[in-house]
Amino acid sequence: MPAVPVLVLVLVLAVTVGCSSTDAPASVSVPSPPAEEMAFCRALDKELPKTVAGHDRGDPEPSSVTTAGWGDAAIVLRCGVPRPERMSDPQAKGVDVDGVNWLLEERDSGPRFTTTYRKTYVEVTLGEQYLHDIGPLSDLAAPVADTVPPSL
C-alpha cells in the first residue's frame, strides 16, 4: 500500500477518535410538563447546586430547564416527568432524605429516585457507582423542597 493513502487513513482515524470524546454531555429525554409544573421546574433549575456529591454540573443534551446533570451523567435530574407506574405498587420502596420523599427503583445501571407527594415529579438517576448510596439526594433535597410544593 502506498505511503500517502496509509497516512491519510491514519489521520482520518486520529481525527475520528479525537472527535468522539467521552466528555461529551449525555443525552436524555426532555420532559414536557404542563405549564403549572413547568413553572416549578424553572424555579428548581435556578436553585440547583453547582456541585452534587463532589461532581460539577454539566447538563445533558438537549439543554432544558427540565434537565440537569453532574459528573458526566453520573447524576441526572429530570423535572416534570410522568408519574411512575411503580408508584402504585404497595410493595414499592421509598426513602426520605431531608424531608423529601423519594420512590426507589433499583436498576442494574444504578438507582432511579422519583419524588412523591410533590406538585410535579422530579426524577434523579444515579450511575452504578451509587447502587447503595443515596448521598447525592442530600444535595438535591433542599432545592426540591424549596421550589416544588407538597401535593398534600
Side-chain angles (χ1 to χ4, degrees), residues 65-152:
V65 296
T66 61
T67 60
W70 296 265
D72 292 332
I75 303 162
V76 174
L77 178 145
R78 296 187 325 132
C79 182
V81 298
R83 183 179 191 273
E85 286 183 36
R86 185 95 169 112
M87 215 165 267
S88 298
D89 181 353
Q91 301 299 323
K93 296 178 185 176
V95 296
D96 181 283
V97 178
D98 300 329
V100 176
N101 294 307
W102 303 85
L103 166 73
L104 164 62
E105 295 177 273
E106 297 179 61
R107 307 169 314 143
D108 290 339
S109 59
R112 176 172 47 217
F113 297 90
T114 307
T115 57
T116 62
Y117 309 116
R118 297 273 161 191
K119 295 222 175 187
T120 194
Y121 294 105
V122 177
E123 172 192 278
V124 175
T125 55
L126 303 177
E128 61 185 16
Q129 67 268 40
Y130 295 103
L131 282 174
H132 304 287
D133 180 3
I134 61 171
L137 296 180
S138 292
D139 293 332
L140 299 170
V144 169
D146 291 346
T147 59
V148 182
S151 60
L152 295 177

Side-chain angles (χ1 to χ4, degrees), residues 40-48 57 59 64-68:
F40 300 133
C41 294
R42 279 191 188 94
L44 175 60
D45 184 62
K46 290 177 184 174
E47 296 300 318
L48 289 173
R57 186 166 174 178
D59 290 347
S64 171
V65 296
T66 61
T67 60

